[in-house]
Amino acid sequence: MSGPAIEPLSVPGSWVVTPPQFGDDRGVFLESFRGDLLAPHVGHRPDIVQTNLSVSAAGVLRGLHFADVPPSQAKYVTCVSGAVLDVVVDLRVGSPTFGAWDSVLLDDADRRAVYVAEGLGHAFLSLAGGSAVMYLCTAPYAPGREHGVDPLDPELGIDWPTTDREGRPLTPILSEKDRAAPSLAEAREAGLLPDYAETKQFYAGLAAQ
């Protein structure tokens, strides 16, 4: 059985993983996560300690979320049903790509996944009703160290889709918390964002374990 194709995104610390699928008249089988094969790219084998599942109506926009480093929370994200546009943003102050973003279509056809390292921001927009997104996380949820940035901030300029999977118009639906999130500039001024040098030290520590 061949392994997945693992390619870096334009935001350092994030990768898109495309697994081979094996289908017959019964259906499809695939290995949705291979930590041993991801490890050479990430620099260490991700220690998955929590799995989350969200189900979203078309137009739901979740994010842009990140957590304090350390320990933050790396995520391995896939869409097991439906379709979402998954977005990764570099929120590490001092990074050469600070403020840059990249996106990947995650759906139940290609069954790609995205690995999001600690210190990066993550968001997605649901493109179909009942889109189910699975997150494998390297740290448990901790409200006191979880933060957000406005995913519609013009400074970020994320190119969110305006139509769903079937071409119907979409209007972003955000939670009250996400709607009230600060802009990138406000989050930076408030000292909420991860520091690039500290994040690199954290990555080095994980690789040494």
Side-chain angles (χ1 to χ4, degrees):
M1 184 179 295
S2 60
I6 303 175
E7 302 174 72
L9 296 176
S10 62
V11 175
S14 60
W15 288 263
V16 58
V17 180
T18 305
Q21 301 185 58
F22 304 91
D24 56 27
D25 55 3
R26 299 169 300 164
V28 174
F29 175 84
L30 68 149
E31 295 177 339
S32 61
F33 174 74
R34 284 288 302 269
D36 57 330
L37 299 181
L38 190 59
H41 301 267
V42 174
H44 62 280
R45 182 179 295 189
D47 181 20
I48 303 302
V49 301
Q50 180 174 323
T51 301
N52 301 330
L53 175 68
S54 68
V55 181
S56 301
V60 168
L61 175 52
R62 297 183 186 267
L64 179 70
H65 300 150
F66 67 99
D68 292 338
V69 182
S72 190
Q73 186 187 69
K75 301 173 183 177
Y76 186 85
V77 186
T78 189
C79 182
V80 297
S81 178
V84 303
L85 184 76
D86 199 76
V87 173
V88 181
V89 181
D90 193 346
L91 300 178
R92 301 166 296 190
V93 176
S95 168
T97 55
F98 176 74
W101 61 273
D102 204 349
S103 64
V104 177
L105 175 65
L106 304 181
D107 61 19
D108 52 14
D110 294 328
R111 304 187 189 278
R112 287 184 289 258
V114 170
Y115 178 82
V116 184
E118 297 86 350
L120 301 179
H122 176 257
F124 69 80
L125 176 66
S126 174
L127 303 177
S131 293
V133 174
M134 184 79 74
Y135 320 66
L136 308 184
C137 305
T138 60
Y141 175 69
R145 61 173 184 260
E146 305 285 336
H147 309 285
V149 168
D150 179 4
L152 302 177
D153 181 2
E155 182 181 353
L156 288 173
I158 298 172
D159 187 17
W160 294 111
T162 57
T163 57
D164 69 7
R165 199 181 198 183
E166 306 300 325
R168 294 171 295 216
L170 277 182
T171 299
I173 305 167
L174 283 73
S175 69
E176 290 185 13
K177 181 179 179 181
D178 289 343
R179 196 179 302 115
S183 67
L184 181 66
E186 290 168 340
R188 182 174 186 174
E189 184 176 348
L192 294 176
L193 301 179
D195 178 80
Y196 180 60
E198 292 178 0
T199 304
K200 286 184 67 179
Q201 290 179 350
F202 181 73
Y203 296 159
L206 292 175
Q209 292 179 5

